[in-house]
Amino acid sequence: MKALLEVRDLRVSFGATEVLDGIDFDVYEGEVLAIVGESGSGKSVTALSMMRLLGESAEITSGSLRFSGRDLLELSEDEMRKVRGREIAMIFQEPMSSLNPVYTAGFQVAEVLEEHFGYSRKAALEKARELFEMVGIPAPEERLRSYPHELSGGMRQRVMIAMAMASEPKLLVADEPTTALDVTIQAQILALMKDVRSRFGTSVLFITHDMGVVASIADRMLVMYAGQIVEEGSVESLFESPRHPYTQRLLACAPSIGERKERLSVIEGFAPSPDAYPGGCRFHPRCSEAIERCSAEPPRLVRGVRCWVAEDS
């Protein structure tokens, strides 16, 4: 497979605090790559770095983000604006904070088509209606005139997907797009994203903490902890034979259909703050399998896993 996006040695700092530590991965054409981890692991910062949407307090201190042969970090803001929303689109966790409350849903989708493709307002609104229909919004003609607050959470997320797909992007970045939705709507959104992928051949970078969602939609997955990738591989291999203790704990915490448990498993302790990352392996204070070397020497990512115990086994 050909890599659409190549991320190499990505490092991001907030002031003197480094929050991403040498992130490396590829997203291949037509695949769904999931990034998994607890809150604070660096998943969203990774996505925002790719979009060049980090705030002024953040700085990409090193690395490259090669997309379709171009390093996104070397583009001017005007050049990046042409990539963002046209070749790379992003869906956020809470669409209410992403949609403008003073404009109708139809206007906001049509605006993408006018801005990037020079559609007339009439043609853009007709295309927006077709997109609303494609993503399963009922009574699309009426919903074009609806304001975000008049739509349900699931409907707003469909509007965001319609907006993202208006330009038929090569890469769709979805940052926890189903977290705030109930399980029925969540399943509908996942089915919709699968349909988008098969219809347009779009690559998807899917960010989540939900292992059930990963199993449903992804081909490969990266597991992040404390600003680092700790394990990577196909969804099948990591679900069947996870090697890193953190991946094993994440999978143990996920509920299974048909399996009765008195209580769900939990990962003891808390993920460290970026300004207090421990020495050695960053997971070792929470790891029951840690050995003396784990607290003294940072492990490298070797054969898809960052763990001294796994590397020696």
Side-chain angles (χ1 to χ4, degrees), residues 52 70 72 74-87 115-116:
R52 296 253 309 261
R70 295 169 294 171
L72 299 177
E74 295 179 356
L75 301 183
S76 68
E77 182 53 36
D78 283 344
E79 290 171 325
M80 188 63 204
R81 196 175 294 116
K82 293 176 182 176
V83 172
R84 194 188 299 128
R86 180 166 184 172
E87 296 183 64
E115 176 73 21
H116 289 296

Side-chain angles (χ1 to χ4, degrees), residues 103-110 132 143-148 151 159:
Y103 293 110
T104 63
F107 174 87
Q108 294 183 63
V109 175
F132 277 22
R143 296 306 180 196
L144 288 176
R145 298 187 293 272
S146 297
Y147 289 88
L151 302 173
V159 171

